[in-house]
């Protein structure tokens, strides 16, 4: 009716008006019942009829679009060809051209195999023009992974390392390829490749291989690959071999006879073998004297072995290995295997005082032969490398590092296997001091088990603690006074770490006994003449007393230490660190008790700035004294922060490496006396100077000094954010400023676990996850670290757990307080897929174990089984992955044990032994 009325109205209007010259009208569609006036185009008419348009027009548009895009691609290819003809030795240009072929895959709809073959032809041309370039050959092997059989690929890898035996980066990639190729993987094969690599690079380093000169950094690479081998064996369950590697290299490095020092490495190893096979005590064992003393004594006629008191209580716990015989057999196996993993990780040695021989060992794998460790002996002659070796062994045994950090290179992704790295956030009762000993993300020896195991020892087993004490006592005397102080500090921090673990567990009995042992050791260390004036040790002892609840005793220790060293003033970073911790603890204590936190903390920080004699706090502080202290802090900070335009950048790293404690003291002082804005300004100034110096150092010296500054840089950022977060929790404060500080810090330090923990806790205050997701994505694609992906997944899992708990807690028929997010499972799965698809995430054990655990716990057991076998293609050496599978798929336990046996992973309890234990 509307159409008829419109037509009549138009006709009447035209009939009564003056003649008008009309232009012809071209209708887009014929008149029909849906288009009576013919005013709709063809597409609208078809839509009104409920029909779709034919595909002809769309195909024409696609053809036109493809024509334009193919023209652009052809022009780009022509440009690459022209540049490569002009400069065929430009390796980076060849690599860019190879990676550009991915665009042709989508632009020309070529098959994946066709693109790979085209890439391969380009690589062949590049290698012909640059026959000595390793990167191009590596690119070829990477492409051929999809085209060649594993045997052919392995043959080409061997050929490549034979041609370039002096390239440590090439050896690293070959080692990773060997240990991640599931079809040919076995522990003994990979261990022999590690030995071949280290012996070859050692021959290059000492000049035995005259055909290839050593490349810069070969000594550092040798030690790094050696440590990688030790962690490979630890993750495969062969902890005895890993411990023996460390023992042997310590003897080989520090107790080498003078008569063999000038020989090539291979000949030194030949002389070392008789000592290793002699049965003499090694580093960490009672009565160890070392290779040099043994060789001298052999020339005089050998040792006279003294009889030692018997220790019959070492193996008493073996009688009650099965806790409950009513458990399923798979659960019994898992429990006994984890128990032996924690208690039997030391290599077994026959006790000659008891008349034991090698035949008395019930588990032959607990004995380590020289053939397993001999090829891996390297020379670490430089003092800094020798210190790094000892510290690495101590961290392997569970001690925190000098700064509590681990390297953030791509190789560190392979070492991540500890879930507490993600789960243990800052303590609400210690908002400022929770980051004193951050988690490294790497399981210590004796602590590797299945992922969801809640058992966690405070330290090592009894034999392990004795072994650790022996290692410390035997190695301390080999180092300089400065290095001795560093190792003693790590020792005391380890005692503090055990107390912290007892505090988290809530077991008061364990905390009391551990506290007594730790205090006894701390007092013994401080009584030694070299340690009496060590403010770092006094700081750790005072903090230990504070954690145990002995506040007045801790204050006396702090005051005693300040009385000894406060006159050193702001130029002493150790003193600044001590005062900073003391002030932080006073602020936290005042917060927990509900009092005003300024007086004691401000007094400590003011006395530090004065540099005068120290007396314990007794009354209020003079305002004039506070003004003088502020001026002293400002001048000290300016002297520590290098100017960008001056030529003092050469001396900057030493200053920057000691800056974090000074910035922390000044920032806390400003916060307590002026407010959060003044403290924020101090931290912003320090961070901006660090950023500008870091950018300049990349230009001047290739960022060689950046790792030395990284720990302090991260420390300053964590101090800044934790102070802002503390203020936001106690006062009215915009969270946008806290979030901005976090995002700025994480954009520069994307692998900092402490900052990510703070970020998760901050974002938990909001009920929208979109902003956090976008930030995680932006950071993850810019870094080689897998840490951002791990925390992004953790954030999504926590959100899912919260929503699941809300839905479980509601009554039948009750409305949900929030809408359930049904897409979270898919989002988490996509995050896992994206992370494992990256080059730096595909070989991360923790990532795969979390993925497997999530899929099964989310109800997708069948897909979880597929994830397990997919993980085996990437990390087949990780014993924890197989133990997780036993727990998640208990009906297939024998299948997994057979697979572990086939791949030569360490199996401490065969299922047949479980049957015998059950019968007994």
């Amino acid at each position: 009716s509307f159409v008829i009325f419109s037509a009549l109205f138009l006709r009447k209007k035209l009939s009564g008006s003056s003649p008008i010259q009309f232009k012809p009208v071209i209708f887009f569609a014929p008149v029909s019942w849906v288009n009576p006036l013919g005013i709709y185009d063809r597409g609208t008419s078809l839509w009104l009829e409920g029909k779709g348009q034919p595909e002809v027009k769309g195909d024409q548009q696609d053809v036109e679009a493809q024509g334009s895009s193919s023209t652009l691609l052809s022009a780009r290819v022509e440009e690459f060809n022209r540049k490569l003809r002009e400069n065929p030795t430009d390796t980076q240009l060849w690599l860019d051209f190879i990676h550009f072929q991915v665009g042709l895959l989508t632009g020309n709809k070529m098959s994946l195999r066709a693109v790979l073959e085209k890439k391969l032809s380009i690589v062949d041309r590049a290698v012909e023009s640059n026959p000595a370039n390793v990167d191009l050959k590596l690119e070829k092997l990477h492409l051929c992974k999809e085209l060649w059989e594993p045997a052919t690929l392995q043959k080409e890898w061997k050929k490549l390392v034979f041609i370039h035996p002096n390239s440590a980066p090439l050896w690293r990639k070959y080692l990773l390829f060997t240990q991640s190729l599931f079809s040919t993987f076995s522990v003994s094969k990979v261990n022999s490749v590690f030995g071949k690599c280290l012996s070859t690079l050692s021959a290059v380093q000492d000049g035995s291989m005259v055909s290839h000169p050593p490349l810069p950094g070969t000594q550092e690479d040798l030690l790094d690959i050696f440590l990688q081998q030790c962690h490979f064996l630890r993750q495969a369950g062969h902890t005895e071999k890993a411990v023996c590697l460390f023992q042997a290299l310590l003897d080989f490095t520090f107790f080498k006879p003078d008569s063999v020092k000038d020989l090539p490495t291979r000949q030194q190893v030949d002389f070392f073998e008789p000592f290793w096979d002699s049965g003499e005590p090694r580093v960490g064992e009672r009565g160890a004297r070392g290779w040099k003393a043994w060789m001298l004594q052999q020339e005089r006629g050998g040792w006279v072995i003294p009889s030692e008191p018997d220790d019959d209580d070492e193996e008493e716990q073996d009688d009650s290995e099965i806790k409950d015989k009513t458990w399923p057999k798979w659960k019994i196996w898992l429990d006994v295997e984890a128990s032996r993993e924690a208690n039997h990780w030391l290599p077994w040695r026959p006790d000659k005082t008891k008349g034991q021989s090698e035949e008395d060992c019930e588990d032959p794998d607990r004995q380590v032969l020289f053939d397993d460790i001999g090829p891996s002996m390297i020379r670490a002659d430089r003092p800094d490398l020798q210190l790094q070796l000892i510290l690495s062994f101590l961290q392997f045994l569970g001690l925190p590092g000098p700064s509590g950090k681990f390297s953030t290179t791509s190789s560190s992704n392979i070492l991540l296997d500890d879930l507490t790295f993600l789960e243990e956030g800052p303590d609400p009762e210690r908002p400022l001091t929770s980051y004193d000993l951050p988690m490294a993300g790497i399981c210590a020896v004796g602590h590797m088990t299945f992922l969801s195991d809640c058992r966690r020892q405070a330290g090592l087993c009894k034999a392990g603690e004795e072994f650790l004490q022996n290692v410390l006592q035997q190695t301390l005397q080999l180092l300089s006074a400065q290095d001795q102080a560093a190792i003693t500090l790590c020792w005391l921090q380890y005692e503090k770490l055990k107390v912290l673990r007892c505090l988290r567990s809530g077991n008061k009995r364990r905390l009391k006994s551990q506290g007594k042992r730790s205090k006894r050791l701390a007092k013994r260390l401080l009584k030694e003449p070299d340690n009496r004036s060590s403010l770092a040790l006094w700081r750790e002892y005072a903090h230990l007393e504070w954690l145990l609840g002995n506040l007045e005793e801790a204050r006396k220790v702090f005051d005693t230490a300040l009385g000894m060293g406060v006159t050193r003033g702001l130029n002493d970073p150790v003193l600044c660190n001590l005062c900073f911790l003391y002030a932080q603890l006073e602020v936290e204590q005042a917060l927990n008790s509900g009092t005003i936190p300024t007086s004691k903390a401000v007094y400590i920080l003011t006395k530090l700035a004065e540099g005068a004699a120290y007396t314990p706090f007794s009354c209020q502080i003079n305002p004039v004294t506070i003004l003088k202290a502020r001026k002293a802090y400002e001048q000290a900070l300016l002297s520590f922060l290098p100017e960008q335009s001056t030529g003092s950048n050469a001396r900057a790293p030493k200053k920057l490496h000691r800056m974090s404690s000074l910035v922390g003291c000044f920032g806390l002082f400003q916060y307590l006396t002026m407010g959060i804005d003044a403290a924020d300004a101090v931290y912003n100034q320090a961070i901006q100077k660090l950023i500008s110096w870091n950018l300049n150092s990349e230009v001047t010296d290739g960022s060689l000094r950046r790792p030395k500054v990284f720990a302090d840089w991260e420390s300053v950022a964590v101090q800044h954010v934790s102070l802002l977060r503390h203020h936001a929790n106690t006062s009215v404060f915009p969270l946008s400023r806290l979030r901005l500080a976090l995002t700025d810090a994480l954009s520069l330090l994307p692998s900092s676990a402490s900052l990510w923990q703070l970020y998760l806790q901050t974002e938990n205050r909001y009920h929208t996850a979109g902003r956090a997701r976008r930030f995680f994505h932006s950071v993850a694609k810019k870094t080689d670290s897998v840490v951002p992906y791990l925390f992004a997944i953790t954030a999504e899992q926590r959100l899912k757990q919260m929503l699941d708990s809300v839905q479980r807690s509601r009554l039948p028929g009750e409305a949900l307080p929030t809408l359930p997010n049904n897409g979270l499972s898919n989002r988490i799965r996509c995050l896992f897929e994206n992370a494992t698809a990256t080059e730096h995430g595909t070989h991360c054990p923790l990532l795969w174990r979390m993925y497997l655990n999530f899929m099964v716990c989310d109800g997708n057991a069948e897909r979880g089984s597929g994830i397990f076998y997919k993980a085996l293609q990437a990390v087949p050496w990780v014993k924890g992955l197989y133990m997780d599978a036993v727990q998640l798929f208990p009906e297939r336990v024998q299948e997994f044990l057979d697979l572990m046996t086939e791949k030569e992973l360490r199996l401490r309890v065969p299922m047949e032994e479980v049957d015998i234990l059950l019968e007994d």
Side-chain angles (χ1 to χ4, degrees), residues 322 324-338 450 452 455 882-897 909-911 914-915 918:
I322 297 181
D324 190 345
K325 291 190 176 183
T326 61
W327 283 352
K329 191 185 293 187
W330 68 267
K331 190 174 182 180
I332 293 174
W333 175 85
L334 205 59
D335 185 71
V336 176
E337 183 76 17
F450 49 94
S452 57
R455 297 173 302 178
Y882 298 81
M883 296 184 72
D884 292 343
V886 169
Q887 188 191 28
L888 298 172
F889 309 102
E891 68 280 358
R892 297 162 57 187
V893 56
Q894 192 59 51
E895 174 190 344
F896 301 137
L897 297 190
V909 190
M911 193 58 75
V914 173
D915 294 333
L918 284 172

Side-chain angles (χ1 to χ4, degrees), residues 268-284:
Q268 292 183 13
V269 173
D270 292 339
F271 279 100
F272 182 65
E273 183 175 2
F275 163 72
W276 185 264
D277 292 334
S278 66
E280 292 301 320
R282 303 162 186 166
V283 174

